[in-house]
């Protein structure tokens, strides 16, 4: 599986032999490849007017292009704001809750992203085909798809260290612009142009899969919530900056502590371990039916509902397993 | 009928070819695939509706919807056969006499005494004793011993000490269907009680001295409070409309020391429609998130569940926190009243959250108090307007509580689902007819078997691993959060999408924890045995005797993961426009492979005889895949069976 940004075909339908050679080199003998474009066909076509575009079938004959539209930018930020508002609504009123939840579209985004990731994984696992994923910049929806696909396919990504590596590789090194995206979160008064909860959506998708396969992850929900928090505000330097270049220029490795160095200490790690974890070598396929996707209460209802009883249940679970 | 196809509702790819059988009690589909010959059994009693759809090139589709929310889509090649099946099923699914029901032919191979014992498992007089009755304030009354006062009440009713037979009889004449105020729950800590009845026949101005005295008697039975609540679970408008028909509700002016309260739970017709709408949402093919959420909200289902729960919370609060007795009624006193009283009891008393206690609760507030099972759940063919998911809603309230209080219940979700299944299945005699009187006339206990005994026998399947009787959650009253709380009510896919396994979490936390607990128990037992052996060895070494070697049972397999791996390995439907995906992964082999048994190296007591043969692709066998119906017993609640398990009727 590879990722990139959009090809600069422009309105003239430019081609680039080197680009074609590069991605053709990943094809397995006798197999074709799939290009998963995270924009709708319309948007991909419109991109040509600004110098961007998509891979022409004629130039990439061994590749089949699939468009799986995933939303971006302010639409996602609006979605988050609406969701948080709905969750904070103090009225008893059952009547409006579900329609408010629906109006936020948050779960729709989750469904879209997971579906695209599952498709990418299917291409690889079921067809043995190579996959190239890109959107416009290759820094947002692209990364959601590639990282989730790996979680589906590769059991190592479901271990704590494997997941940490995944985040480092697919988000930090791949250049997801954390500083722009995680500027202010849901309560900000001013609307930052480039802000969007892309990483949070990714973590939410991971949580959805975790919920469906509770024995397949070495880490627990708290681990994901911790990462969410540190992406937005942290005493560690890991999520600062927009890419490796900036982090290096800012001399972050010299001036700040890494989140991982703290998290991986055994006292800390023990809080994030999933007592139900049983290593398996399965490919796990989540269901994307609406009934299977739920609101991530641990994040969105965290301050609105008592967690006492759920905490007790979790403790009891740990006791049962520890005693064994 | 041969060459019938059974379609998978979720995946259009997976149609099974097989033979369809109709018997006196079941519809059975047997797959042609020779190795597995997977069977799907459906009881006629479970069939809610049958729809014959337009004939296509592939055959005649027949859609069977069941009361346990299973939906079966068949395609029958010949139109003539399809029509025959359709007509037969219509007749079979609408029995006219009780004797046609499955419970009268079901034979679990128990002798007469076992059958009797099964019926004695739940004893209501024991239950009222447990509550602390009879005592200074409450007594048992035999005024209804021949059902002479109220034919839908049990022969044994519990009433306040100061309620004489005269008062009871007088009050019954002033209540709809003669259902006079009687005790449902007594709280011995503070003498507050929950009583239930039907609506008074008050019209606009009628009064009845005995009925007023009855309510006073209830109040006097609780010296700690100088008033009682009277809770009408209907919307105010409906209750008022009833006055025009000579019925209605209690006027605070006429009844001394009552505080009257409407709670506003909708009637059986509204609930029936609500469920219908929700099921339509469940049947949507590939719905979007919006379709689903809109559809769910539009059905109003969760709103109704919350209304019932809120009523139960109000009553529980009145009893536990205010120490005030409550009289609950609706119209008939057998639907909403039953729901609300049993929810309140569940919140108040931890006993009802145990497995046995829950059976007792249903027996008390639903069975003995004359809930109209036959009418509501269509044992026999009857008026479709009487059908309504009343007990289903109560069962869902329990599930919602289980989600909020995971450690508070001794039983698990499967217990609830199987009870619901059997209310409709008529495989056991507990939920037949509309009253105790009718059941006794039919001699149900001599001619059928009790569900409670069956569930009790299989109770290991129904335990909640997180339950501990000494846990803080299991003590005392449960207090669900009142507000904000709308988001606390979730869609119960385990019930309404029960048979669509792909939609549920593919690994069950409950099953995993149960397996761990079982293993712990086995380890403890082994530890004991080894301890004894060690002691013996030490003793015989001292005595210089030969050491006896003991055979030990090494046959346990300790794969703990209970994931259904063939399901985990199966991609769900991700795209409707991509046709070229094969259904099998070259790297993963046959989807239908049942996983090998795997011993895990990190388990302390791995069987030394089995090598760690880790098959890289397959996971671990489902350790606890016991059929919920128990060995030897007939068609499981999940209606899919091995042919090996097929037991033929005597």
């Amino acid at each position: 599986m590879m990722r990139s940004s959009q090809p600069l075909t422009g309105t003239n339908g430019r081609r680039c032999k080197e680009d074609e050679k590069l991605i053709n080199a990943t094809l397995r003998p006798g197999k074709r490849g799939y290009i998963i474009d995270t924009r709708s066909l319309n948007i991909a076509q419109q991109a040509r007017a600004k110098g961007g575009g998509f891979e022409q079938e004629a130039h990439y004959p061994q590749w089949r292009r699939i468009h799986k539209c995933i939303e971006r930018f302010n639409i996602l930020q609006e979605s988050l704001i609406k969701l948080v508002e709905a969750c904070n609504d103090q009225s008893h009123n059952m009547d409006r809750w579900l329609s408010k939840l629906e109006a936020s579209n948050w779960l729709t985004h989750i469904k879209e992203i997971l579906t695209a990731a599952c498709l990418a994984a299917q291409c690889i696992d079921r067809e043995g085909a190579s996959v190239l994923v890109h959107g416009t910049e290759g820094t947002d929806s692209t990364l959601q798809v590639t990282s989730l696909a790996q979680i589906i396919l590769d059991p190592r990504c479901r271990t704590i260290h494997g997941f940490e590596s995944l985040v480092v590789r697919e988000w930090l090194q791949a250049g997801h612009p954390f500083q722009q995206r995680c500027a202010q979160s849901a309560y900000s008064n001013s609307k930052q142009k480039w802000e969007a909860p892309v990483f949070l959506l990714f973590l939410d998708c991971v949580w959805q899969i975790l919920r469906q396969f509770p024995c397949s992850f070495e880490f627990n929900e708290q681990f994901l919530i911790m990462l969410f928090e540190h992406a937005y505000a942290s005493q560690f330097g890991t999520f600062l900056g927009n890419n490796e270049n900036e982090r290096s220029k800012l001399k972050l490795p010299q001036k700040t502590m890494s989140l991982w160095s703290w998290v991986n200490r055994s006292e800390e790690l023990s809080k994030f371990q999933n007592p139900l974890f049983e290593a398996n070598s399965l490919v796990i396929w989540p269901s994307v039916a609406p009934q299977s996707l739920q609101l991530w209460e641990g994040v969105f209802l965290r301050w609105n509902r008592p967690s006492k009883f759920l905490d007790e249940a979790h403790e009891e679970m740990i006791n049962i397993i520890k005693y064994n | 009928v041969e060459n019938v196809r059974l379609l998978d509702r979720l995946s259009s790819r997976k149609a099974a070819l097989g033979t369809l059988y109709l018997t006196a009690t079941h519809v059975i589909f047997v797959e042609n695939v020779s190795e597995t010959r997977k069977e799907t059994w459906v009881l006629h009693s479970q069939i809610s509706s049958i729809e014959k759809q337009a004939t296509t090139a592939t055959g005649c589709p027949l859609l069977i919807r069941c009361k346990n929310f299973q939906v079966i889509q068949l395609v029958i090649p010949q139109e003539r056969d399809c029509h025959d099946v359709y007509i037969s099923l219509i007749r079979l699914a609408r029995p006219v006499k009780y004797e046609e029901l499955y419970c009268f032919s079901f034979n679990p191979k128990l002798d007469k005494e076992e059958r009797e014992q099964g019926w004695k498992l739940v004893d209501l007089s024991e239950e009222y004793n447990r509550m602390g009755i009879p005592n200074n304030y409450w007594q048992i009354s035999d005024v209804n011993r021949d059902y002479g006062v109220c034919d839908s009440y049990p022969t044994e009713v519990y009433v306040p000490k100061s309620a004489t037979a005269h008062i009871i009889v007088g009050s019954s004449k002033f209540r709809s269907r003669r259902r006079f105020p009687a005790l449902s729950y007594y709280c011995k800590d503070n003498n507050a009680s929950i009583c239930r009845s039907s609506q008074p026949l008050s019209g606009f101005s009628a009064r009845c001295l005995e009925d007023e005295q009855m309510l006073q008697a209830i109040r006097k039975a609780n010296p700690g409070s100088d008033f009682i609540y009277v809770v009408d679970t209907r919307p105010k408008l409906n209750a008022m409309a009833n006055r025009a028909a000579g019925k209605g509700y209690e006027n605070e002016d006429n009844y001394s020391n009552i505080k009257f309260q409407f709670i506003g739970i909708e009637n059986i017709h509204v609930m029936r429609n609500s469920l219908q709408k929700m099921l339509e949402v469940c049947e949507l093919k590939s719905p979007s998130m919006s379709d689903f959420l809109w559809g769910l909200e539009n059905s109003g289902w969760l709103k109704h569940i919350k209304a019932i729960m809120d009523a139960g919370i109000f009553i529980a609060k009145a009893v536990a926190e205010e120490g005030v007795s409550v009289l609950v009624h609706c119209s008939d006193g057998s639907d909403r009243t039953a729901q609300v009283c049993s929810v309140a009891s569940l919140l108040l008393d931890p006993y009802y959250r145990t497995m046995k206690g829950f059976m007792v609760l249903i027996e008390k507030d639903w069975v003995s108090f004359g809930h109209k099972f036959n009418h509501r759940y269509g044992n026999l063919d009857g008026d479709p307007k009487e059908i309504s998911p009343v007990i289903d809603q109560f069962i869902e309230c329990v599930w919602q509580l289980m989600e909020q209080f995971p450690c508070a219940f001794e039983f698990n979700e499967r217990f609830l689902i199987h009870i619901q299944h059997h209310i409709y299945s008529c495989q056991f005699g507990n939920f037949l007819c509309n009253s105790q009187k009718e059941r006794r006339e039919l001699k149900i206990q001599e001619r059928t078997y009790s569900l409670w005994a069956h569930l009790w026998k299989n109770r290991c399947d129904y335990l909640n691993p997180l339950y501990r009787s000494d846990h803080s959650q299991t003590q005392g009253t449960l207090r669900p959060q009142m507000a904000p709380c709308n988001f606390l009510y979730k869609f119960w896919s385990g019930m309404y999408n029960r048979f669509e396994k792909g939609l549920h979490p593919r690994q069950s936390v409950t099953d995993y924890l149960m397996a761990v607990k079982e293993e712990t128990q086995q380890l403890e037992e082994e530890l004991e045995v080894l301890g004894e052996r060690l002691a013996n060895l030490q003793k015989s070494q001292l005595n210089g005797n030969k050491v006896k070697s003991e055979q030990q049972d090494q046959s346990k397999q300790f794969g703990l993961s209970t994931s259904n791996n063939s399901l985990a390995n199966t991609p769900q439907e991700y795209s409707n426009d991509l046709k070229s995906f094969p259904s099998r992964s070259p790297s993963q082999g046959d989807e239908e492979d049942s996983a090998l048994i795997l011993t895990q190296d990190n388990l302390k007591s791995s069987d030394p005889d089995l090598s760690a043969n880790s098959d890289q692709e397959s996971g671990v066998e489902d350790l606890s895949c016991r059929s919920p119906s128990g060995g030897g017993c007939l068609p499981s609640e999940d209606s899919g069976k091995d042919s090996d398990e097929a037991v033929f009727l005597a």
Side-chain angles (χ1 to χ4, degrees):
Chain A
M1 181 163 60
M2 300 206 298
R3 51 175 156 77
S4 69
S5 54
Q6 64 176 331
L8 300 173
T9 50
T11 44
N12 293 332
R14 267 187 302 144
R15 65 186 295 183
C16 167
K17 291 271 166 61
E18 288 88 351
D19 190 76
E20 292 160 35
K21 245 191 173 163
L22 179 59
I23 72 167
N24 285 334
T26 65
L27 288 172
R28 292 169 62 194
K31 295 266 181 184
R32 63 167 158 190
Y34 288 90
I35 298 175
I36 298 184
D37 189 327
T38 62
R39 304 165 294 179
S40 65
L41 181 56
N42 265 344
I43 298 202
Q45 285 167 335
Q46 287 166 24
R48 288 182 297 192
K50 300 184 212 149
F54 53 89
E55 295 81 353
Q56 305 263 48
E57 303 277 301
H59 303 154
Y60 297 84
Q62 288 163 289
W63 295 80
R64 198 177 145 203
R65 205 177 66 245
I66 305 171
H67 288 270
K68 263 301 178 187
C69 178
I70 296 179
E71 291 292 354
R72 31 193 35 84
F73 298 135
N74 55 321
I75 292 186
L76 297 181
Q77 187 65 7
E78 289 298 326
S79 184
L80 176 65
I81 292 172
K82 278 200 182 134
L83 175 61
V84 171
E85 257 176 41
C87 291
N88 286 340
D89 184 344
Q90 296 286 321
S91 72
H92 297 231
N93 210 331
M94 254 329 272
D95 276 343
R96 309 303 299 150
W97 161 245
L98 287 172
S99 49
K100 285 209 193 121
L101 180 62
E102 187 278 324
S104 76
N105 265 330
W106 184 262
L107 290 171
T108 300
H109 300 314
I110 297 283
K111 187 181 199 294
E112 261 168 17
I113 297 165
L114 269 174
T115 304
C118 290
L119 263 169
Q122 247 185 324
C123 292
I124 292 179
D125 184 71
R126 297 273 138 154
E127 281 221 359
S130 299
V131 171
L132 170 65
V133 185
H134 72 75
T136 305
E137 303 286 310
T139 54
D140 296 281
S141 51
T142 304
L143 306 180
Q144 290 169 330
V145 172
T146 56
S147 40
L148 286 169
Q150 288 176 62
I151 288 180
I152 291 169
L153 291 167
D154 189 345
R156 287 168 304 181
C157 293
R158 296 174 225 139
T159 63
I160 292 183
H161 290 302
F163 189 75
E164 289 173 0
S165 311
L166 182 73
V167 170
V168 169
R169 212 169 53 242
E170 298 296 318
W171 290 87
L172 293 169
Q173 287 176 350
H176 176 70
F178 277 96
Q179 195 254 308
Q180 286 180 349
R181 299 285 178 270
C182 299
Q184 288 174 319
S185 190
Y187 295 108
S188 66
N189 286 326
S190 65
K191 296 242 174 86
Q192 302 274 316
K193 190 173 173 200
W194 301 113
E195 175 143 24
V198 178
F199 188 60
L200 175 57
L201 278 163
F202 159 68
L203 294 173
D204 195 328
C205 289
V206 178
W207 178 78
Q208 302 288 343
I209 306 179
L210 172 56
R211 207 185 62 85
Q212 294 188 24
F213 295 91
C215 303
S216 297
F217 289 78
E218 195 185 16
F219 51 86
N220 61 17
E221 182 184 21
Q222 293 312 313
F223 187 69
L224 297 172
I225 296 179
M226 180 271 303
L227 288 175
F228 154 62
E229 290 186 308
H230 283 276
Y232 279 88
S234 178
Q235 62 268 52
F236 300 96
T238 306
F239 287 100
L240 289 179
N242 287 313
N243 49 49
E244 294 280 280
N245 193 358
E246 282 186 24
R247 287 180 204 114
S248 153
K249 289 212 175 100
L250 288 168
K251 296 207 188 342
L252 290 183
Q254 290 79 23
K255 291 184 177 175
T256 66
M257 293 284 294
S258 154
L259 173 67
W260 312 124
S261 64
W262 167 72
V263 165
N264 289 333
R265 290 194 186 163
S266 54
E267 326 84 83
E268 295 306 318
L269 213 54
S270 56
K271 296 185 210 153
F272 299 125
Q273 279 164 332
N274 173 14
L276 303 170
F277 176 57
E278 267 206 335
N280 65 43
S281 49
L282 296 172
V283 174
I284 55 177
W285 300 101
S287 160
V288 297
Q291 295 93 320
S292 309
L293 302 175
Q294 289 196 2
L295 178 65
W296 191 3
E297 295 188 10
V299 166
F300 296 108
L301 296 177
R302 190 173 174 190
W303 315 109
N304 300 358
R305 51 124 215 216
S307 61
K308 172 171 180 253
F309 305 115
L310 300 171
D311 291 341
E312 285 179 2
H314 191 248
E315 239 184 72
E316 186 61 29
M317 218 182 278
I318 294 180
N319 288 343
I320 291 174
I321 294 171
K322 255 209 299 207
Y323 181 62
N324 175 270
Chain B
V1 182
E2 294 183 340
N3 294 318
V4 174
R5 271 183 305 134
L6 175 66
L7 301 184
D8 180 309
R9 265 194 8 94
L10 284 185
S11 163
S12 41
R13 287 179 256 135
K14 293 188 301 194
L17 191 65
T19 308
L20 187 71
Y21 298 89
L22 258 61
T23 72
T25 50
H26 291 80
V27 181
I28 309 171
F29 177 83
V30 183
E31 260 180 60
N32 281 348
V33 179
S34 50
E35 307 94 58
T36 55
R37 284 185 66 73
K38 178 160 172 274
E39 297 180 3
T40 306
W41 289 57
V42 177
L43 267 170
H44 295 317
S45 312
Q46 287 285 2
I47 296 177
S48 171
S49 72
I50 309 146
E51 196 185 312
K52 211 167 96 156
Q53 297 171 321
T55 306
T56 65
T58 49
C60 311
L62 200 64
L63 190 67
I64 302 175
R65 290 190 181 86
C66 298
K67 300 171 188 174
N68 63 2
F69 311 115
Q70 187 170 17
V71 179
I72 300 200
Q73 175 112 49
L74 299 166
V75 179
I76 299 175
Q78 300 284 3
E79 215 276 320
R80 194 181 359 106
D81 289 333
C82 182
H83 188 72
D84 280 347
V85 171
Y86 174 69
I87 296 293
S88 310
L89 281 181
I90 294 234
R91 174 60 186 87
L92 288 166
R94 296 188 190 156
V96 177
K97 291 181 302 169
Y98 279 110
E99 283 73 12
E100 292 177 54
L101 293 177
Y102 184 34
C103 51
F104 290 100
S105 47
F106 170 59
N107 177 12
K109 307 237 170 37
L110 299 173
D111 62 34
K112 189 160 151 294
E113 186 172 315
E114 283 169 311
R115 188 212 302 255
E116 254 180 59
Q117 282 306 108
W119 283 105
K120 295 207 174 105
L121 185 66
V122 172
D123 182 338
L124 284 182
S125 55
E126 253 178 52
E127 169 57 13
Y128 285 100
N129 282 346
R130 183 195 71 87
M131 283 190 221
I133 299 170
N135 62 18
N136 291 335
Y137 306 111
W138 294 91
Q139 66 187 9
I140 186 171
S141 167
D142 69 345
V143 72
N144 200 36
R145 61 189 165 280
D146 297 312
Y147 304 106
V149 178
C150 173
D151 64 1
S152 61
Y153 265 9
T155 48
E156 289 172 352
V157 285
Y158 294 80
V159 295
K161 266 266 167 68
S162 55
T164 62
H166 173 76
I167 290 176
I168 297 172
V169 173
S171 169
S172 78
K173 294 193 177 136
F174 195 62
R175 293 276 165 180
S176 179
R177 291 177 67 217
R178 316 278 228 87
R179 292 169 68 86
F180 56 88
L183 181 73
S184 165
Y185 179 72
Y186 169 71
C187 177
K188 58 175 172 267
D189 294 337
N190 60 14
N191 297 312
S193 66
I194 303 175
C195 294
R196 53 183 290 181
S197 70
S198 58
Q199 64 183 326
L201 303 174
S202 50
F204 288 100
S205 59
R207 292 179 71 156
C208 168
L209 180 63
E210 290 83 8
D211 193 71
E212 289 165 30
Q213 286 172 332
M214 188 73 192
L215 267 63
Q216 276 180 39
I218 295 174
R219 178 178 53 82
K220 282 192 270 189
N222 178 8
S225 169
D226 55 9
F227 72 97
I228 66 170
Y229 283 110
V230 175
V231 168
D232 188 329
T233 57
R234 299 170 292 182
K236 182 165 182 183
L237 229 54
N238 298 21
M240 286 172 63
N242 266 289
R243 284 192 301 180
K247 303 174 196 168
Y249 55 94
E250 294 80 352
N251 186 337
E252 273 184 5
D253 296 333
N254 298 341
Y255 291 82
S256 55
N257 302 316
I258 70 167
K259 280 201 188 145
F260 188 84
Q261 184 94 8
F262 282 112
I263 300 259
I265 300 172
E266 300 288 349
N267 64 33
I268 56 169
H269 309 294
V270 172
M271 301 309 193
R272 184 179 56 249
N273 288 332
S274 177
L275 178 64
Q276 179 61 34
K277 285 207 184 123
M278 188 170 73
L279 293 178
E280 279 164 20
V281 175
C282 294
E283 275 194 37
L284 291 174
K285 284 218 158 32
S286 315
S288 69
M289 205 68 216
S290 296
D291 291 336
F292 178 71
L293 290 173
W294 266 116
L296 190 57
E297 175 151 288
N298 195 36
S299 75
W301 180 258
L302 291 177
K303 184 178 66 160
H304 299 311
I305 296 291
K306 180 172 183 290
I308 296 165
M309 191 79 91
D310 284 346
I313 293 174
F314 174 85
I315 292 169
K317 266 209 177 123
V319 169
E321 290 174 25
E322 297 181 58
V324 176
S325 295
V326 185
L327 170 66
V328 188
H329 71 76
C330 45
S331 296
D332 248 6
S334 61
D335 293 312
R336 287 165 279 197
T337 302
Q339 289 173 328
V340 159
C341 287
S342 35
V343 169
S345 303
L346 201 62
L347 292 171
L348 285 167
D349 193 334
Y351 175 64
Y352 297 125
R353 293 175 233 138
T354 64
M355 212 178 284
K356 181 87 185 303
F358 191 69
M359 298 180 190
V360 168
L361 182 65
I362 294 185
E363 204 52 49
K364 176 169 70 79
D365 275 312
W366 295 83
V367 178
S368 81
F369 268 102
H371 177 67
K372 300 196 291 185
F373 283 94
N374 179 27
H375 283 178
R376 293 287 171 263
Y377 314 117
N379 305 157
L380 301 181
D381 191 29
D383 183 358
K385 291 220 159 40
E386 289 284 317
I387 304 272
S388 190
V390 182
I391 204 169
D392 307 57
Q393 287 180 321
F394 162 65
I395 291 174
E396 176 161 346
C397 285
V398 183
W399 178 77
Q400 299 284 356
L401 282 170
M402 273 168 58
E403 289 284 295
Q404 293 183 39
F405 300 95
C407 298
F409 292 81
E410 191 188 23
F411 49 86
N412 61 26
E413 182 189 26
R414 187 183 291 133
F415 187 62
L416 295 176
I417 293 179
H418 285 188
I419 290 177
Q420 191 266 3
H421 176 100
H422 282 300
I423 286 169
Y424 289 97
S425 78
C426 302
Q427 181 174 335
F428 300 91
N430 310 62
F431 309 114
L432 260 47
C433 310
N434 289 329
S435 67
Q436 191 191 71
K437 174 168 187 262
E438 286 180 29
R439 279 184 290 273
R440 286 196 185 164
E441 279 167 3
L442 273 178
K443 297 203 195 320
I444 293 291
Q445 293 197 2
E446 288 98 77
R447 298 162 71 191
T448 69
Y449 294 85
S450 167
L451 172 65
W452 303 135
H454 167 78
L455 293 177
W456 189 250
K457 195 168 68 146
N458 295 309
R459 59 189 176 282
C460 303
D461 288 338
Y462 301 125
L463 290 172
N464 169 17
L466 297 175
Y467 176 78
R468 258 179 28 227
S469 52
D470 58 346
H471 198 280
S472 65
Q473 264 181 53
T474 60
Q475 310 296 328
T477 310
L478 286 185
R479 293 190 165 81
Q481 181 173 326
M482 281 301 294
C485 62
N486 31 20
F487 42 70
L488 291 175
Y489 292 89
K490 300 190 206 136
F491 172 74
W492 191 7
S493 69
M495 172 65 88
Y496 304 110
N497 290 121
R498 178 178 163 195
F499 294 93
E500 286 150 83
K501 302 282 189 212
L503 291 186
H504 309 146
R506 246 65 61 68
Q507 292 169 322
S508 161
V509 175
T510 299
D511 289 344
Y512 179 87
L513 290 173
M514 282 310 298
V516 172
K517 276 185 127 170
E518 265 179 48
E519 195 210 34
T520 303
Q521 205 185 349
Q522 284 169 350
L523 288 174
E524 284 176 336
E525 288 167 13
E526 255 196 56
L527 199 62
E528 237 184 83
V529 170
L530 287 173
E532 282 173 31
R533 204 167 159 213
L534 191 62
N536 282 340
L537 275 174
Q538 287 172 336
K539 230 178 20 184
S540 18
Q541 267 186 347
L542 287 176
N543 297 344
N545 286 336
K546 262 211 148 105
V547 171
K548 262 201 285 216
S549 65
E550 289 164 25
Q551 272 304 93
Q552 281 202 291
D553 186 18
Q554 295 279 343
S555 64
K556 301 175 273 269
Q557 288 104 21
F558 291 124
L560 284 180
S561 169
T562 53
S563 39
N564 182 335
N565 294 305
S566 61
L567 266 187
N569 288 354
T570 310
Q572 304 299 305
E573 284 287 315
Y574 299 124
S575 169
N576 296 327
D577 54 8
L578 297 172
K579 297 186 263 287
S580 60
F581 283 61
S583 57
R584 278 188 201 175
S585 156
S587 61
Q588 290 195 329
D590 197 329
E591 257 180 84
E592 299 295 273
D593 252 355
S594 58
L596 296 177
I597 298 168
L598 178 73
T599 49
Q600 300 234 311
D601 294 337
N602 57 358
L603 294 178
K604 299 168 206 100
S605 56
S606 49
D607 186 339
D609 286 336
L610 288 179
S611 51
N613 49 344
S614 34
D615 177 343
Q616 282 310 313
E617 295 312 317
S618 57
V620 180
E621 170 141 272
D622 181 354
L623 182 66
S624 63
C625 55
R626 273 176 245 125
S627 149
S629 63
C633 210
L634 241 229
S636 80
E637 290 76 6
D638 292 324
S639 88
K641 286 167 69 317
D642 287 346
S643 52
D644 291 325
E645 274 188 327
V647 173
F648 294 97
L649 297 174

